[in-house]
Structures are given as structure tokens and as C-alpha cells.
Amino acid sequence: MNERRVLVVEDERTIAESVAARLRAEGFAVDIAGDGPSAVDRFRAGRYDIVVLDVMLPGFDGLEVCRRIQAQRPVPVLMLTARDDETDLLVGLAVGADDYLTKPFSMRELSARVHVLLRRVERAASSGPPALRLGEIEINQAERRVRRAGAEVHLTPTEFDLLVHLARRPRTVLPRERLLAEVWGWAEGSGTRTVDSHVKALRRKLGADLIRTVHGVGYALEVPA
Ligand code: CA
């Protein structure tokens, strides 16, 4: 297995060094960033498998770091918080961290959490559904990411689910009522305009020719040659 890389973001030098020392002793490659902006820069430059992220940081805080790095690439984040009630607050805010550890913590506990997170992510990746390719469009189902000619396209969760639904049955005409039921989980067909508006968004983002309208019936995904 390749050496796994950890980015430790923490301005308190003694904590950062202890965390790094422990993880290095376990075979991880570890880098340290001491403030928000340098954390985001480092993350962009390195291929990290996991980020250990303190909340209180100079520059901008851990929440902002989390938001910016997750926008670059999904990565497991273990957030370090000052108090239990801070953890509760962050969980409520859905900041995009995968786990939380309240200070003070033992290095043994930190290490255990890192391993659990990595195992969870690696298991999800290995058992995930395969990537779908439609001409220049690539759909990574495990990561829920879409690229067009190599460039990332940002889809809403519903747009993504609709695209995957159509892409699994290329050239098959899917009635709008059926799409509503299967993608949205709506039993009755009174919201078919919702389907239309999402198809419109997908065409705008991925190309007008990708989805064919079958008037009075529904939609079919066309596979480019
Ligand atoms: Ca701090």
C-alpha cells in the first residue's frame, strides 16, 4: 500500500508536533499547516488522504478551511474542537467534517479515529459503484462527481441523481412520471415540471444534446459517438 498522507492544521505548535510525531511513527507522511490560508494552499499542492483540522486558527478558521478544501476535492476531515458544546454546534451546522475530537485528547485516541475514518472511506471507495462514461462526460458514482472534458462540473444532488438514472439506461425513453417516482420518490405525477427544470439545468451544464426530449412522454439520454 502507498504511504498515506495526512495534513495536520493546528496553530498550537506543541499539539501539532505531537500529532505529527504519533502519526509518523505509525507510517503516515505528515505535513503541518499553522493557519487557514496556508492549510488551503498546502491541500491544493499535496495529495492528502485525510486532514486533521483545528477549529480555532489564525487567518480564517477551521470551518472555512473545511469548506474550501472540500470544494477542491472530497477528503475525510477529523475536526479538533475546544469543547463538547462546540462539537455539538458544528455537527448542527453540517460543516462537512466526518468526525470530531474534543481537546484535550490522547494521541492513542487521535490515532484510532484517523484509522477508523480512513478504513471507512477506503471501504466505501472499494465497494462503490463503477464510473460511467458518456463521450466526454465522466460520472464518478462513488465520489458523486462529474467531469466534462476533464473539467469538473458542479451538480446539485438531485441533478446528479437524475443524470445517473438516465445514464444507467442510455437511449431508453424514461417517462417523466417514472423519473419523478424513482429519482424524487414521488408517487403521483403532479410534479413533472420539476423533472423538466432539472433536465434543463443538466443540458445547460453538460451540453444541449445530451438529453433528448420525447414529446408527451419523457426523456432519453443520448450517448455521444
Ligand atoms: Ca488553535
Side-chain angles (χ1 to χ4, degrees):
M1 184 185 284
N2 289 334
E3 188 176 54
R4 288 179 296 184
R5 296 171 59 86
V6 187
L7 178 61
V8 175
V9 187
E10 167 65 271
D11 58 316
E12 286 167 75
R13 203 70 206 169
T14 50
I15 297 180
E17 293 294 353
S18 323
V19 169
R22 171 71 188 224
L23 294 174
R24 281 181 188 130
E26 294 184 7
F28 291 98
V30 184
D31 291 322
I32 296 174
D35 61 65
S38 68
V40 174
D41 288 346
R42 268 204 174 273
F43 183 79
R44 190 175 293 120
R47 289 207 51 82
Y48 296 99
D49 298 291
I50 185 167
V51 177
V52 177
L53 178 59
D54 188 33
V55 175
M56 295 301 293
L57 295 167
F60 41 77
D61 66 15
L63 279 61
E64 184 63 18
V65 172
C66 190
R67 200 182 60 76
R68 294 195 191 191
I69 64 176
Q70 297 283 14
Q72 289 179 39
R73 175 169 72 77
V75 66
V77 172
L78 172 60
M79 194 84 97
L80 306 180
T81 64
R83 300 176 314 274
D84 286 334
D85 59 341
E86 187 176 54
T87 300
D88 295 341
L89 179 73
L90 296 177
V91 170
L93 287 174
V95 294
D98 299 274
D99 197 7
Y100 298 86
L101 192 54
T102 306
K103 292 176 179 178
F105 50 83
S106 70
M107 289 306 141
R108 200 159 66 107
E109 177 156 28
L110 173 110
S111 152
R113 298 287 191 97
V114 165
H115 283 284
V116 166
L117 255 184
L118 283 172
R119 263 204 306 278
R120 204 164 86 200
V121 170
E122 281 157 12
R123 201 165 45 223
S126 63
S127 64
L132 296 169
R133 188 176 275 285
L134 313 155
E136 62 177 10
I137 295 166
E138 193 186 328
I139 307 170
N140 184 327
Q141 296 189 76
E143 296 181 2
R144 293 183 66 88
R145 290 159 78 96
V146 176
R147 288 173 176 276
R148 182 184 184 187
E152 174 123 28
V153 178
H154 291 278
L155 300 183
T156 68
T158 304
E159 287 164 7
F160 183 88
D161 291 339
L162 176 60
L163 175 66
V164 167
H165 219 78
L166 289 164
R168 282 181 186 153
R169 298 165 202 76
R171 297 190 193 87
T172 307
V173 180
L174 297 174
R176 293 145 97 214
E177 290 77 10
R178 179 172 160 191
L179 289 169
L180 254 190
E182 292 179 355
V183 177
W184 279 263
W186 294 359
E188 48 185 303
S190 62
T192 49
R193 287 187 62 93
T194 304
V195 181
D196 300 341
S197 71
H198 281 81
V199 165
K200 200 168 152 188
L202 285 177
R203 283 180 176 145
R204 184 167 47 76
K205 293 177 178 180
L206 296 171
D209 299 333
L210 183 66
I211 300 169
R212 182 166 60 93
T213 302
V214 182
H215 286 289
V217 183
Y219 296 102
L221 188 132
E222 296 302 302
V223 182

PDB file of all heavy atoms in Angstrom, residues 10-12 54 56-57 103, ligand 1:
ATOM      1  N   GLU A  10      -3.062  23.065  12.586  1.00  0.00           N
ATOM      2  CA  GLU A  10      -3.123  23.413  14.012  1.00  0.00           C
ATOM      3  C   GLU A  10      -2.067  24.476  14.296  1.00  0.00           C
ATOM      4  O   GLU A  10      -0.905  24.317  13.915  1.00  0.00           O
ATOM      5  CB  GLU A  10      -2.866  22.143  14.837  1.00  0.00           C
ATOM      6  CG  GLU A  10      -2.596  22.358  16.306  1.00  0.00           C
ATOM      7  CD  GLU A  10      -3.782  22.941  17.054  1.00  0.00           C
ATOM      8  OE1 GLU A  10      -3.886  24.183  17.119  1.00  0.00           O
ATOM      9  OE2 GLU A  10      -4.598  22.144  17.564  1.00  0.00           O
ATOM     10  N   ASP A  11      -2.485  25.585  14.921  1.00  0.00           N
ATOM     11  CA  ASP A  11      -1.533  26.670  15.193  1.00  0.00           C
ATOM     12  C   ASP A  11      -0.794  26.477  16.513  1.00  0.00           C
ATOM     13  O   ASP A  11       0.221  27.125  16.743  1.00  0.00           O
ATOM     14  CB  ASP A  11      -2.247  28.024  15.180  1.00  0.00           C
ATOM     15  CG  ASP A  11      -3.373  28.083  16.190  1.00  0.00           C
ATOM     16  OD1 ASP A  11      -4.127  27.093  16.276  1.00  0.00           O
ATOM     17  OD2 ASP A  11      -3.493  29.092  16.877  1.00  0.00           O
ATOM     18  N   GLU A  12      -1.311  25.609  17.382  1.00  0.00           N
ATOM     19  CA  GLU A  12      -0.584  25.355  18.629  1.00  0.00           C
ATOM     20  C   GLU A  12       0.519  24.344  18.337  1.00  0.00           C
ATOM     21  O   GLU A  12       0.251  23.164  18.111  1.00  0.00           O
ATOM     22  CB  GLU A  12      -1.538  24.835  19.701  1.00  0.00           C
ATOM     23  CG  GLU A  12      -2.438  25.914  20.267  1.00  0.00           C
ATOM     24  CD  GLU A  12      -3.578  25.330  21.095  1.00  0.00           C
ATOM     25  OE1 GLU A  12      -3.325  24.892  22.208  1.00  0.00           O
ATOM     26  OE2 GLU A  12      -4.706  25.293  20.589  1.00  0.00           O
ATOM     27  N   ASP A  54      -7.908  21.777  13.218  1.00  0.00           N
ATOM     28  CA  ASP A  54      -8.326  22.518  14.397  1.00  0.00           C
ATOM     29  C   ASP A  54      -9.354  23.580  13.995  1.00  0.00           C
ATOM     30  O   ASP A  54      -9.313  24.092  12.876  1.00  0.00           O
ATOM     31  CB  ASP A  54      -7.097  23.189  15.030  1.00  0.00           C
ATOM     32  CG  ASP A  54      -7.429  23.815  16.373  1.00  0.00           C
ATOM     33  OD1 ASP A  54      -8.281  23.264  17.091  1.00  0.00           O
ATOM     34  OD2 ASP A  54      -6.835  24.856  16.697  1.00  0.00           O
ATOM     35  N   MET A  56     -10.066  26.631  15.797  1.00  0.00           N
ATOM     36  CA  MET A  56      -9.577  27.991  16.006  1.00  0.00           C
ATOM     37  C   MET A  56      -8.203  28.150  15.378  1.00  0.00           C
ATOM     38  O   MET A  56      -7.228  27.552  15.828  1.00  0.00           O
ATOM     39  CB  MET A  56      -9.489  28.289  17.507  1.00  0.00           C
ATOM     40  CG  MET A  56     -10.844  28.287  18.212  1.00  0.00           C
ATOM     41  SD  MET A  56     -11.983  29.506  17.517  1.00  0.00           S
ATOM     42  CE  MET A  56     -11.136  31.004  18.022  1.00  0.00           C
ATOM     43  N   LEU A  57      -8.144  28.965  14.324  1.00  0.00           N
ATOM     44  CA  LEU A  57      -6.896  29.154  13.586  1.00  0.00           C
ATOM     45  C   LEU A  57      -6.731  30.616  13.220  1.00  0.00           C
ATOM     46  O   LEU A  57      -7.722  31.319  13.034  1.00  0.00           O
ATOM     47  CB  LEU A  57      -6.935  28.359  12.268  1.00  0.00           C
ATOM     48  CG  LEU A  57      -6.984  26.840  12.317  1.00  0.00           C
ATOM     49  CD1 LEU A  57      -7.343  26.299  10.950  1.00  0.00           C
ATOM     50  CD2 LEU A  57      -5.651  26.281  12.799  1.00  0.00           C
ATOM     51  N   LYS A 103     -10.624  18.529  22.554  1.00  0.00           N
ATOM     52  CA  LYS A 103      -9.382  18.698  23.312  1.00  0.00           C
ATOM     53  C   LYS A 103      -9.697  18.734  24.812  1.00  0.00           C
ATOM     54  O   LYS A 103     -10.730  19.274  25.183  1.00  0.00           O
ATOM     55  CB  LYS A 103      -8.706  20.019  22.915  1.00  0.00           C
ATOM     56  CG  LYS A 103      -8.178  20.042  21.503  1.00  0.00           C
ATOM     57  CD  LYS A 103      -7.627  21.440  21.240  1.00  0.00           C
ATOM     58  CE  LYS A 103      -7.041  21.547  19.847  1.00  0.00           C
ATOM     59  NZ  LYS A 103      -6.556  22.902  19.561  1.00  0.00           N
TER      60      LYS A 103
HETATM   61 CA    CA B   1      -5.972  26.539  17.525  1.00  0.00          CA
END
